[in-house]
Amino acid sequence: MKKHMVITIGRQFGSGGREIGRGLAEQFDIPFYDKELIVASAKKSGLSETMFENVDEQAANSLLYSLVLGAYAPTAGMTGVPPLSINETLFQVQSDVIKELAQEGSCVIVGRCADYILRNRTDCVNLFIHAPMPERIKRAVSKYDVAQEKAEDVIHKTDKKRANFYNYYSGQKWGEAKNYHLSLDSSLLGIEGSISALKAVIEHL
């Protein structure tokens, strides 16, 4: 592994991507950021964590053109420039945080368009974790306490939300292999096996 390496992880809901990301962070002894990004973004901006939680990995809502006041309202007062939506403003804040964290040192960042936000860096390895639906349903039920009869619907809705978010801000297609360095079906090796395999690959970079 390079002295400085940022690992970004895109993941289908129930694929174990978050667990794999945390496992890689532990293996390399580097920081792990998922929901932690909400806390960091709120702290940086002075805005509430609730605001970030409410729009977490959601595309901008064209009906919500209410302006968030403060340093992250770059179009405020600019004649002829439409204001950013709340979602877009908070995405900008979170993007700044992701860039700062990547600059500070090696880390693992889950979701939130991190691969696209850091696209100009040469020290990133971008992963996408997926799995067959039956495996994802099992994980949704066992790990996230989703009711068995609702699991597949929850999975589809969560994936759609993540895809819309990624596609909207990146202009690319979520989950498409060419947008990542490596795409892995976590069901082939299991969570621990996937961590070991990905660690071996990353160590050769």
Side-chain angles (χ1 to χ4, degrees), residues 87-201:
N87 303 55
E88 289 169 329
T89 300
L90 300 185
F91 176 78
Q92 182 175 327
V93 175
Q94 196 160 255
S95 295
D96 289 346
V97 169
I98 287 172
K99 290 175 182 177
E100 290 175 5
L101 294 173
Q103 187 63 34
E104 289 174 2
S106 297
C107 60
V108 175
I109 302 176
V110 175
R112 297 164 185 83
C113 284
D115 60 302
Y116 177 75
I117 291 167
L118 302 175
R119 63 191 180 282
N120 293 323
R121 298 187 66 96
T122 59
D123 55 1
C124 291
V125 55
N126 303 318
L127 311 176
F128 189 83
I129 309 301
H130 57 100
M133 183 58 72
E135 294 296 322
R136 296 165 66 195
I137 289 174
K138 289 179 185 177
R139 180 167 293 277
V141 173
S142 64
K143 292 288 184 179
Y144 302 110
D145 296 322
V146 177
Q148 178 77 39
E149 64 275 13
K150 296 181 178 179
E152 187 166 353
D153 184 54
V154 169
I155 287 170
H156 283 306
K157 287 180 178 177
T158 304
D159 279 357
K160 184 177 180 180
K161 183 185 75 169
R162 290 177 179 174
N164 288 342
F165 175 83
Y166 184 87
N167 298 349
Y168 179 88
Y169 287 109
S170 73
Q172 300 177 161
K173 187 174 181 180
W174 182 74
E176 193 167 79
K178 69 178 183 179
N179 296 326
Y180 310 90
H181 294 114
L182 183 63
S183 182
L184 177 69
D185 180 345
S186 61
S187 71
L188 294 177
L189 301 171
I191 300 302
E192 294 303 319
S194 296
I195 293 169
S196 297
L198 290 170
K199 180 175 183 285
V201 170

